[in-house]
Amino acid sequence: MDVIVQAAALLADPYVILVMVAASIYGLAVGSVPGLTATMAVALIIPITFFMDPIPALAAVMSLSAMAIFAGDLPGALLRIPGTPASAAYADEAYAMTRKGQAGLALGVGLVCSSIGGLVGAVVLIAAAPWLARIALQFSSYEKFWLACLGLLAAIAVSQRSWMKGFLSLLLGLTIAQIGLDPVSGLMRFTFGFSDLAGGLGFIPVLIGFFAVPELLRYALGRGPTPTVKSQPARRLFSGVGRELVRQRGGIARGSVIGTVIGSIPGAGADIAAYVSYAVARRLSPRRDRFGTGVPDGIASASAANNSSIGGALVPATVFGIPGDSLTAIIIGVLFLKGLNPGPTVFLVNPELITAVFLAFLLANVMIVPFGFAAIAGFQYVLRVPRSVLMPVILGFCMVGAFAVENTVFAILTMAAMGLVAFVLEENDYPLAPAILGLVIGPMLEENLLLSLTRARGNLFAFVERPVSMGLAIVVIGLCLVPLALFLARRLRHSDGRS
Amino acid sequence: MSITRVTAIACGLGAASVLALAPAGAQAEWPERPVTIIVPAGAGGGTDATGRLLALGLEEQFGQPFNVVNQGQGGGVVGFTSITTAEPDGYTLGVIYNFAHYRPMGQGDFDVDDMTPIAQYNFDPAGFNVPSDSQWETISQALDDIKADPGAYNIACGGGCGGSWPIALATLLREWDVDLSEVQMISGQGAAAALQEMVAGGFDVVPSSVPEAGPLIESGLVDGLAVFGTERLEAFPDIPTLQEETGLDLELGAWRGLVGPAGLPDDIAAQLSAAMEEIYNSEAFQTAMTSRGFGLRWRDAEDFETFMLSEQDSVRQLISTLGF
């Protein structure tokens, strides 16, 4: 307890608070531009942190990342261009709500749930980091393989109408994910000799192409539905948020737990956490038939999950210096730079410093709420700009975003080409979210499968020999077989009745 | 090209604020506009961090922004290709690292001749990491066992098997007369992920930089059996050197340096070399490198070129033996 008081005292410095506020505003600005990711925002701020003391430097990085991840929801809900891959799971749902005139409700629920998820992650981090890290470290390639399979099953939940079309879309995503250097043998695949393709199709350009470009094309062809946004005073804009939150309390709790657990496993991350909790929410929601038409259940659960996963990812990062994703990799760099070398000793030698960092993360997640509400209230005006002005500007932002993340002109071409593909898919009622899921999970699935097979020298039983991998295998195979068995049973009963 | 301009603003956000603090240097003929430094690695990694440190120093020296551009796609192939095919006008430079494996492995089409070496500023010796419950107490035991039955052990490459750490280990195994064609080397996504996999029971050996394995060594989950440098590391005084343990006088690991495309004008190369030497010897650079656990090593343009050429030969021979 003493440690927490000391840590709080370190944070209660006007300079630190000022730095956090400035970093939050910067994070909101960067995160809300499609294509500019939280990772990029943090990488750009690093040279500035050279001149700061450890606590303000790390507090800045923490508030920046929390804010940027939330801000990714803004263009997702209002323009259907998810700012971060983690928002892609529910961008369609949120946009559907915006079209019904419920933008404030969708974003308000998402905002508060992000904050709650982040707080859960932070509390777990402060209370149980060293303990949880030891468990997370035991996840070998076998367990991660099954986890990736579990993620793939979420595709069925995010395909709204036809699961068959969802499955095809998933396969498309998995195929695109194979382009470039093979993760295990390092051979070139589907590159046709172009060095531009060696790295595969960049994830962010594909994401922007998939979601933003079809919207632009539909507008250009005069068949896009225009979201209606009545100008509303802030209080009315968010009416119903409180009631919805009470109703979603179960989903929020589930999302927070799923996010923290998945986030703490190195190699999984916010994206997979968001997809899995969206799928779980759909399965358990009484309104599951109306998913995709604009119900906040999935948004609540998945927003909570993607923010709580940052707290989870900081667990192995601070305890063992193992980054869960590119964002935590940068945070580890800053920790080293400031002499807080990650490792078990950091909890013994400088417990108040590392606790102050965690508290800063906690505080940042509280600060999301006022900053977020202000940002949403301001951002809704974007929709009142005439479409003929807004659409070209969005196209400009998309191109900048695609270029900025990859630094190649090829990325802009990728965005345009994928946009055309997505347009054709959507015109024929194929859902896009499963394709993005395939793109996220494909490399993880392939790498862990091949790594496991090489290690076990082809022995397939190795996949179920460890207790956790066996448990996960039963869940995955069960989830595949149970619906099939039910289907067959129904078929059988049907034919019995007829005979 | 408004795209380029807007992106330059986005990329320069961080750099610009730093620039405000930097004193304006004397304006020579070059550089009269911002210089791009291509880093063939993602934002946030070690190469990116040292590249940004250099950019900071170069900005102070020349009074122009030096913008870091990350191109880590395809394990660095995309970035290396951009560096070596850029216009040699001094406005595109690159921070590079061990790259000799790309061509023999069929991944890239560039070698030392496609670059103008400027200076090497970093070297990190490889470390030999085993799980703490491993049967091996010393690296000699491990090497003898691997030699006796090369196929029986799972050795992680960390990233691709042509990377700095697996090549360092493979070079050592070759010196120990191990049958390299039998050795089971498995690639993956980076040393950190491989170390985690080893703790979970997946690997017998993971070569990596010592600081990267540091937290796991401290927590008693991993043992560092040797460091492949000429002396012990200050931060890890308990890990013996390769020479102490085996008598082999080898220095193996990862290095980083600054280059331009081939054909960089001599006067620009000379200015850059001089600036690099000044930056390297500055206290700010030395402290910043050491505090993040990066080793310091200076080679001027000429030595750097000789070094890269000899490494290129050695690695090509090694990769054909390994059969990648």
Side-chain angles (χ1 to χ4, degrees):
Chain A
M1 213 58 218
D2 268 2
V3 173
I4 294 183
V5 174
Q6 282 173 21
L10 284 174
L11 281 185
D13 173 347
Y15 175 66
V16 176
I17 300 296
L18 195 71
V19 165
M20 286 183 74
V21 169
S24 301
I25 294 171
Y26 171 60
L28 270 180
V30 176
S32 57
V33 177
L36 302 187
T37 58
T39 310
M40 184 192 261
V42 175
L44 288 176
I45 207 178
I46 299 300
I48 303 172
T49 60
F50 284 163
F51 305 102
M52 294 183 185
D53 289 333
I55 294 298
L58 284 154
V61 171
M62 291 295 162
S63 28
L64 177 53
S65 14
M67 210 62 80
I69 292 227
F70 159 71
D73 291 356
L74 288 171
L78 297 176
L79 307 168
R80 195 173 172 264
I81 309 169
T84 58
S87 325
Y90 50 88
D92 265 342
E93 192 79 62
Y95 188 64
M97 289 184 72
T98 301
R99 285 211 303 244
K100 291 201 290 188
Q102 296 177 331
L105 182 62
L107 282 167
V109 168
L111 170 62
V112 179
C113 293
S114 294
S115 169
I116 295 172
L119 290 177
V120 171
V123 169
V124 170
L125 189 61
I126 294 171
W131 175 77
L132 191 61
R134 290 212 172 241
I135 298 177
L137 214 56
Q138 291 306 320
F139 267 70
S140 77
S141 60
Y142 302 117
E143 285 83 12
K144 286 185 198 163
F145 167 77
W146 289 114
L147 202 65
C149 291
L150 203 59
L152 286 186
L153 289 178
I156 293 163
V158 291
S159 359
Q160 310 299 356
R161 282 177 287 273
S162 150
W163 70 267
M164 188 64 94
K165 286 185 168 175
F167 187 65
L168 285 173
S169 168
L170 176 71
L171 289 183
L172 178 73
L174 288 172
T175 311
I176 296 175
Q178 294 201 343
I179 298 175
L181 282 179
D182 158 0
V184 171
S185 65
L187 293 177
M188 295 286 186
R189 292 190 302 207
F190 307 116
T191 56
F192 305 101
F194 293 110
S195 71
D196 277 323
L197 279 171
L201 297 180
F203 186 66
I204 298 290
V206 173
L207 187 70
I208 297 174
F210 260 39
F211 285 96
V213 174
E215 206 60 22
L216 295 168
L217 283 174
R218 270 193 294 274
Y219 170 74
L221 296 174
R223 54 168 105 174
T226 314
T228 49
V229 173
K230 288 155 260 158
S231 99
Q232 289 163 317
R235 206 178 315 132
R236 200 106 46 79
L237 182 66
F238 299 117
S239 71
V241 170
R243 198 160 4 103
E244 200 55 51
L245 286 171
V246 175
R247 200 157 137 194
Q248 301 298 341
R249 58 190 182 276
I252 298 170
R254 268 195 310 273
S256 305
V257 173
I258 292 175
T260 314
V261 171
I262 293 188
S264 67
I265 298 166
D271 323 338
I272 294 175
Y275 273 101
V276 169
S277 51
Y278 183 87
V280 173
R282 185 177 189 193
R283 192 77 217 124
L284 298 178
S285 164
R287 292 191 276 192
R288 61 171 158 271
D289 301 335
R290 286 166 51 205
F291 262 60
T293 60
V295 286
D297 306 39
I299 302 176
S301 194
S303 313
N306 68 17
N307 269 54
S308 65
S309 74
I310 309 177
L314 284 171
V315 168
T318 48
V319 182
F320 295 114
I322 291 175
D325 52 22
S326 50
L327 185 62
T328 37
I330 301 185
I331 293 176
I332 291 176
V334 182
L335 287 170
F336 267 115
L337 195 68
K338 296 299 172 192
L340 280 171
N341 295 8
T345 47
V346 80
F347 293 90
L348 302 174
V349 184
N350 293 321
E352 71 285 351
L353 282 182
I354 195 78
T355 310
V357 174
F358 293 167
L359 278 182
F361 179 66
L362 189 98
L363 187 60
N365 276 294
V366 177
M367 282 165 59
I368 284 186
V369 176
F371 276 87
F373 273 125
I376 297 168
F379 213 83
Q380 61 155 333
Y381 292 105
V382 168
L383 288 187
R384 292 166 57 196
V385 174
R387 293 249 128 185
S388 53
V389 175
L390 187 58
M391 286 304 185
V393 173
I394 293 176
L395 180 63
F397 268 120
C398 291
M399 291 165 75
V400 171
F403 182 85
V405 76
E406 299 271 313
N407 291 310
T408 56
V409 177
F410 182 74
I412 300 176
L413 299 176
T414 304
M415 180 199 85
M418 284 297 124
L420 283 176
V421 171
F423 177 71
V424 173
L425 286 177
E426 288 209 302
E427 288 295 295
N428 294 292
D429 280 330
Y430 284 86
L432 296 178
I436 294 293
L437 183 70
L439 212 55
V440 171
I441 295 191
M444 176 180 171
L445 182 75
E446 182 180 17
E447 191 199 333
N448 285 302
L449 172 67
L450 291 179
L451 180 57
S452 305
L453 282 174
T454 326
R455 258 174 47 189
R457 285 142 173 93
N459 173 16
L460 291 176
F461 286 105
F463 282 89
V464 290
E465 273 170 0
R466 299 160 55 102
V468 180
S469 65
M470 165 91 92
L472 283 167
I474 291 172
V475 172
V476 169
I477 295 170
L479 281 174
C480 292
L481 291 185
V482 168
L484 190 71
L486 287 177
F487 174 75
L488 286 178
R490 218 168 353 175
R491 249 320 195 14
L492 217 62
R493 218 177 312 135
H494 224 73
S495 54
D496 276 356
R498 237 183 297 166
S499 60
Chain B
M1 285 297 283
S2 68
I3 303 162
T4 336
R5 209 177 320 141
V6 179
T7 318
I9 294 168
C11 293
L13 263 178
S17 47
V18 175
L19 185 71
L21 302 168
Q27 288 275 343
E29 207 156 290
W30 171 91
E32 50 182 16
R33 58 186 170 88
V35 177
T36 300
I37 298 185
I38 294 177
V39 169
T47 306
D48 178 57
T50 63
R52 284 177 199 271
L53 273 176
L54 280 189
L56 215 61
L58 289 167
E59 254 163 39
E60 270 179 41
Q61 296 276 327
F62 291 106
Q64 282 284 357
F66 277 66
N67 296 322
V68 171
V69 169
N70 297 96
Q71 291 189 341
Q73 303 95 322
V77 173
V78 175
F80 273 99
T81 308
S82 299
I83 296 168
T84 48
T85 55
E87 196 66 35
D89 54 5
Y91 292 101
T92 308
L93 305 172
V95 169
I96 62 159
Y97 47 83
N98 312 46
F99 65 90
H101 58 283
Y102 292 116
R103 183 172 266 183
M105 292 178 75
Q107 297 173 347
D109 194 22
F110 41 80
D111 54 28
V112 181
D113 294 340
D114 298 316
M115 304 171 186
T116 305
I118 295 167
Q120 178 187 342
Y121 60 91
N122 155 262
F123 171 76
D124 290 312
F128 189 93
N129 305 303
V130 299
S132 51
D133 53 10
S134 162
Q135 70 267 39
W136 299 321
E137 298 286 324
T138 66
I139 189 167
S140 308
Q141 287 173 6
L143 289 171
D144 286 337
D145 282 354
I146 296 173
K147 187 175 175 179
D149 190 359
Y153 303 96
N154 287 325
I155 300 173
C157 291
C161 285
S164 324
W165 312 123
I167 287 292
L169 181 57
T171 311
L172 173 65
L173 293 176
R174 178 174 63 184
E175 291 292 318
W176 210 257
D177 289 325
V178 175
D179 182 1
L180 286 178
S181 59
E182 291 289 318
V183 172
Q184 171 107 340
M185 291 185 85
I186 303 171
S187 68
Q189 297 293 310
L195 285 165
Q196 191 249 316
E197 190 68 40
M198 179 168 81
V199 174
F203 290 120
D204 299 299
V205 181
V206 175
S208 77
S209 83
V210 183
E212 204 158 6
L216 288 166
I217 294 176
E218 268 175 43
S219 54
L221 293 168
V222 166
D223 284 340
L225 295 188
V227 51
F228 297 9
T230 47
E231 46 195 84
R232 294 188 182 208
L233 296 176
E234 212 172 297
F236 299 89
D238 297 335
I239 304 180
T241 66
L242 207 52
Q243 180 153 29
E244 289 171 45
E245 288 288 299
T246 64
L248 291 174
D249 186 18
L250 286 174
E251 196 185 47
L252 302 165
W255 52 265
R256 297 181 177 99
L258 185 72
V259 299
L264 197 66
D266 287 344
D267 60 319
I268 295 180
Q271 282 187 60
L272 278 167
S273 298
M276 279 295 287
E277 191 158 5
E278 200 152 313
I279 294 167
Y280 180 85
N281 290 320
S282 72
E283 207 188 308
F285 183 78
Q286 300 250 340
T287 333
M289 289 286 282
T290 321
S291 71
R292 275 211 55 180
F294 294 117
L296 289 152
R297 173 67 51 88
W298 176 254
R299 279 197 177 99
D300 64 15
E302 203 178 320
D303 289 349
F304 188 28
E305 181 160 23
T306 322
F307 165 72
M308 284 197 288
L309 284 170
S310 81
E311 192 195 61
Q312 189 164 291
D313 288 343
S314 157
V315 168
R316 283 187 186 173
Q317 198 198 341
L318 199 61
I319 284 178
S320 62
T321 334
L322 280 166
F324 290 145

